[in-house]
Structures are given as C-alpha cells and as structure tokens.
Amino acid sequence: MTAYGRSHRYEDGPEKPPSHRLRPRPRGKRPLLALLVACLLAGVCVATGMVWDPFRAAAGQDRAGPGSGTPRPTGPSAPSDPTAPATGPGPGSTGPAPSAPPPSAPVRGRADDGGARPAGALPFDLPGPAALRTGAAAGKLVFAHYFTPYPLSLDNASADSDYYTRNYLQPGGENGKHERYGGLLRDRPLPVAPKDGDWEYANLRQEVRTARAAGIDGFTLDLLSLTGKNRERADLLMRAAHDVDPAFKVMLMPDMTSLDTDDPAVLADALAALARYPAAHRLGDGRLVVSPFKAEEKSPAWWTRMTDTLRTRYGVRTALVPLFLDFGAHHAAYAPISYGFSEWGSRSYAGQEGASADADRAHGLGKVWMQPVSVQDTRPNQGIYDEAGNTATLRTTWSHAIDDGADWVQLTTWNDYSEGSQFAPSLHNGYAYLDLTSYYLTRFKTGQWPRIVRDTLYLTSRTQFAATDPTGGQSLLMSPRKGGAPPRDTVEVLSFLTEPATVRTAVGAARDEHAAPAGTHARLLPLAPGTSSAEVVRDGRTLASVELPYRVDGTVAVQDLQYYAASSGREDAPR
C-alpha cells in the first residue's frame, strides 16, 4: 500500500515551501470525468439503495483499487496573535473583502467539558481500564496521532468569536490568506468554555481524559519543531498525560517533513528532554519508543547516529519504530535498526489491498506492526480529498488491524482539522467517530466482539453533492485522489441492534424503511436536499432515533466534502 502525507501548519514562523506539489487542476472547474462518475453513481444509488455490509467480503464496495498518494506539503503559518480582534479589512482598506461564512458555520450548543460519558452513549458496555490494559490486551496498544497546532482552544475565547471561528472557518479569515480555497478548516474541536488560570494545560488534560475514556492507550506526539509554540505544547501534553493518568503514554514522533535540522545530535537532545517526562512511552525493558514520521527522509546511518547519541550522551536506549510514507520501498533497509514499522496509510476504503501484505512483511522480519486507522481526509488548501464512503474507511482500516494481527494501532489523526481526519470530538461530528472506534478498539484489544446491549444508530452524510461547484470566491477546488474510490453521494445508516428491527429513514422528502438484523448493519441511501434522520422501531415502539442537524443544499458558497456524523446515543451533544 502506498502511503501519502499530510498538511502542516507552523506556529513559529512563515510558511515553509512544500517538498512536493500536487498535480495542477483547472481553477474553478471540476474535471468532466469526475462529474460523469458522480452522476452515474448517484443514479446507481437511487436505483439500488446501495446496501453494503462491511463484514461481507463479497460486497461490491469492498473491492479495492490501486492505492496511490503524495507526501504531504506544508500548511499555513500560525496566527500572529490569536487573541486579536477579528481579522479582515477595515474601513478604507484595499485588502480582500471578507467572504460570507460557509453554510456549515458553527451551530452553538453547550460547551464540551470532557466529563464522563453519558449513560447509554455506546451500543455496548466499554470494558474498564483493567480489562483493556492487562493480559493479552496490554500488548495491543492503540495510540491517536496528536497534532499540536489544533488544541481545543487557541485563545481561551468564547467559541462564537474565537480564533477558529473568526479566522479558520471563514473564507476571509487571517486577512484573506485562505480565501482561495474557502477557508483553512471545515470543522473544529467541540467548543470549550473559557477557563481561569492555566487554560492551555487544563484543555490538554481534558483531551487526555477524552481519549482515555474511549479506551485509547496514548498519543503519538507529532514533534513539529524544536522551539516555539508547538514545542511548548508538546511539553504541556507530556505533563498533562501523566497528571491525568500515569498509565497514559505518549510516543514521540519527530516529524521529518518539518524539523529544521540535519544534525542527529540536535534531534537526540530534543528527544532526551522529552524522554525525562514519565509519560514518554517505553517498552517493558525501559527502551524509549521513537517513531519518526517519514523516517525515509534520513538514512539508516543517520538514525543510528541519533540513537547512539541518545545512548552515549544521555543513557537513553531506543526502540525505533519508523513510520514510512513508502513502506514497500524502505522497510528492508531499515530493518536492522528497527524494533517495529508503521506507515501513514490510505484514507479511502478502496486502496487498502496492500495492508495485509505490509503487516505480513513486518512480522516476517520479526518486527511489531503499527496499523494506521483513519476516518477520512479532505484538504481544501491542497485541493484534494479521499472518498471515505461514509464510515467505510473507518470500518475497513479497523478490520485490517484486527484481521491482520497488528500489534499496535495509530488513529490518524486525533486532531488534524486541516486534513479533516480527526477522531477527536468535533463540532460537526460530535463523538460519533470516537464512539465507533471504542467498539472496534475493544475487539482489537480483547479478541472478542463486545455484546450489543443498546440499540444505537450512527448517521453520516455530506452537506453537499460531490460535484457541486461553490458559488463563493473559492478558486481552488478539491478533486479525488487517484487510486481511491470514486466520489459518491450517499447517506449511511449504521445500526447496532440488540435484536432485528425496522429502521425507518428520512432523507430530505424521501421516506423509506428497511429490516436490519441484530448486530451491525450498514444501509446506504441516495443523498437528497434537506435533512436526514433515522429511527429504530420494534414491536411498534421507537427505541432509538438520530437526526443529522445539517441541511444538504444544492447551492453552496464553499466546497465542503467531509462526512458529517451524528449518533442516537449522543442526542445532547453540542452541535
């Protein structure tokens, strides 16, 4: 499987030039082929209903195409002052005029306090920490990739006027620098209330609590820079992790696409400083686990010099787990110096056909394998996205981790909102993707599928059709990445049922119902203008219901191709 990279935003200076450029595309035009494919798929959806069972290998959507991708270019620079008033031209300015907010602008609800999971939120009873961290489960570790540029808050302001809302979700934010692609982000962390005292540290503690409550063992910390705000947040996160839960670990992931050093001793110094924190992930024999992102950026000899410096200068023994963008091309050369392997992976449900072979290669060399698990990937500022197929990518990548015998899992990502890949609770997805992950995580760690004890529905769809051109000033549009699944316009109802039941659905003006079996079942419906909802009916009683509180419109100001999600178990979640 060919891996690909991600975008970066730098807090500490001007934007750096990307190491790779994506293929050019016509400005403001969508390729004719994509239009034809999207229309054809929409017709198929209408005609067939597109039922898909992710656990049935014969399902048509389970057939994968060739994977491909590109290493990640760098992203936007940091806000110069997150606490400053809203940016944009004032009276008499000759700068760019502010654009209208996207149709998916934040809908305000109660602030997320990271408290205990509401009773009945999940379709099953999540085992406690003892069951997930002892015995055989202790060797099956699940980490979430933490991206320091996007904490819960950037300025401790109210969410209706904070930096995310003013500058990242608005096309004209940050003085119009993101207007070409309709704004930097399409989603953001769930709003949190302003806090007294050390609010940044308090918010990081909250994120650790949220991850731990979902059954996650720790974070992989993307070390973007050796100084500045991202480095400061790295230190705070190391403290917060141990403070909340001494068993919650942080795996160090120096990012070789962004770290500004060619000296292995400089990186060794930085890693040694972070290794002093008790939260730093170590093996049972005391070795510090270091998993460099895009490890192939440096040679095996370079990494050997780095680990030798850690050992001789600081007494730190290292277990190196390189993460490659091209695992197939590089793993053999790095095997002699590596404890394990990983890769960034594909974010389309089609294109996963190499995952099993990658795990087999790693295990054949006697190495641990860390499997990437993902939700989706949409990158407005790079003009590209992957067709995730509602929750198909999430379920497919988790199935590979389980079926292929992965030792560890990395959720890619916890909170990189600039690529729309977040598992963390977000404004437009609530806790839906994280709750689904708890289900698969339990099977991965315990070896047993958890028993479904509550009827629960998960509803996912986009808020616009894939072929819709925005009416605003956006000139760079996203097109599907080569090698992934073709675009589709579907609403997915994913049911977790204690017994067979009828699931009634409403997609815009269309009403339908289908018989759903006990256990898990996915039903696809054609996307239509309006809102979508679903309910579980058994013996004439409605037992669970869910509504996706975002309208699908045929005319949109800004292109937004992320899948939105809602859960019947989280009806009171902020929206």
Side-chain angles (χ1 to χ4, degrees), residues 347-574:
R347 265 85 174 272
S348 179
Y349 62 91
Q352 300 293 334
E353 71 282 354
S356 300
D358 291 343
D360 288 344
R361 288 191 193 100
H363 290 151
L365 291 168
K367 312 299 180 183
V368 302
W369 174 250
M370 182 163 68
Q371 170 70 24
V373 169
S374 55
V375 176
Q376 59 184 331
D377 192 312
T378 59
R379 309 184 188 192
N381 68 341
Q382 296 180 36
I384 202 162
Y385 75 100
D386 289 281
E387 178 51 66
N390 300 83
T391 67
T393 295
L394 173 65
R395 290 176 284 143
T396 300
T397 52
W398 261 120
S399 293
H400 274 292
I402 293 165
D403 297 340
D404 298 341
D407 305 283
W408 302 344
V409 159
Q410 180 179 209
L411 306 178
T412 56
T413 63
W414 177 254
N415 64 332
D416 191 344
Y417 293 91
S418 55
E419 65 184 31
S421 61
Q422 65 278 358
F423 279 82
S426 71
L427 185 70
H428 293 151
N429 302 319
Y431 280 75
Y433 294 132
L434 191 59
D435 287 350
L436 283 171
T437 276
S438 292
Y439 178 76
Y440 292 97
L441 173 153
T442 300
R443 168 61 177 85
F444 174 74
K445 292 179 73 68
T446 68
Q448 301 293 325
W449 287 108
R451 185 168 69 92
I452 296 172
V453 297
R454 282 173 289 274
D455 297 315
T456 308
L457 297 173
Y458 295 89
L459 192 63
T460 56
S461 85
R462 293 194 177 105
T463 59
Q464 56 191 247
F465 295 90
T468 299
D469 280 319
T471 60
Q474 182 177 352
S475 60
L476 175 64
L477 300 182
M478 291 179 282
S479 59
R481 194 186 303 271
K482 291 181 179 178
R488 74 188 201 192
D489 294 320
T490 52
V491 176
E492 181 192 87
V493 184
L494 181 61
S495 57
F496 288 70
L497 301 183
T498 59
E499 301 175 31
T502 296
V503 176
R504 293 176 180 167
T505 59
V507 179
R511 301 293 184 267
D512 199 359
E513 64 179 45
H514 63 272
T520 60
H521 179 261
R523 175 79 172 190
L524 292 181
L525 302 167
L527 189 67
T531 57
S532 299
S533 62
E535 60 182 10
V536 175
V537 179
R538 188 183 299 117
D539 299 326
R541 297 173 53 217
T542 298
L543 302 174
S545 62
V546 61
E547 180 182 6
L548 197 60
Y550 297 97
R551 287 186 56 82
V552 177
D553 292 315
T555 302
V556 297
V558 171
Q559 187 191 40
D560 182 0
L561 296 181
Q562 66 168 323
Y563 280 98
Y564 289 50
S567 166
S568 65
R570 296 276 191 173
E571 292 180 359
D572 64 340

Side-chain angles (χ1 to χ4, degrees), residues 123-319:
F124 70 105
D125 292 327
L126 182 68
L132 294 177
R133 291 177 174 175
T134 58
K140 294 282 192 176
L141 299 178
V142 178
F143 296 90
H145 184 94
Y146 193 90
F147 196 54
T148 52
Y150 301 121
L152 294 180
S153 176
L154 290 163
D155 53 7
N156 202 34
S158 176
D160 59 359
S161 60
D162 69 358
Y163 204 89
Y164 281 113
T165 296
R166 299 194 321 265
N167 287 305
Y168 285 171
L169 294 173
Q170 300 290 343
E174 292 197 318
N175 291 310
K177 66 187 293 183
H178 309 298
E179 196 160 22
R180 188 169 72 98
Y181 36 86
L184 177 62
L185 308 182
R186 300 297 186 267
D187 201 359
R188 58 162 294 162
L190 277 179
V192 292
K195 296 178 174 64
D196 295 328
D198 191 346
W199 57 272
E200 289 187 278
Y201 185 59
N203 284 342
L204 286 168
R205 283 170 49 89
Q206 178 173 322
E207 292 197 78
V208 173
R209 290 196 305 270
T210 299
R212 180 191 61 176
I216 293 170
D217 295 293
F219 286 138
T220 47
L221 174 58
D222 193 325
L223 186 59
L224 288 166
S225 56
L226 303 180
T227 59
K229 193 62 179 179
N230 285 315
R231 180 63 174 80
E232 292 168 10
R233 286 200 190 112
D235 283 303
L236 284 178
L237 180 62
M238 300 297 288
R239 287 174 46 208
H242 185 72
D243 190 14
V244 170
D245 181 359
F248 192 90
K249 299 303 180 184
V250 180
M251 187 190 305
L252 303 180
M253 185 168 281
D255 194 319
M256 306 315 293
T257 68
S258 66
L259 288 178
D260 244 348
T261 181
D262 287 322
D263 186 348
V266 171
L267 180 57
D269 293 344
L271 294 176
L274 291 168
R276 296 190 185 102
Y277 290 102
H281 178 46
R282 296 176 181 270
L283 302 179
D285 62 9
R287 281 181 289 170
L288 176 73
V289 180
V290 177
S291 181
F293 181 92
K294 199 184 179 186
E296 65 263 47
E297 187 74 15
K298 303 297 181 184
S299 68
W302 192 95
W303 287 112
T304 299
R305 293 197 298 274
M306 194 280 293
T307 56
D308 285 348
T309 302
L310 272 174
R311 177 177 50 82
T312 58
R313 185 177 295 179
Y314 299 102
V316 176
R317 296 180 301 123
T318 306

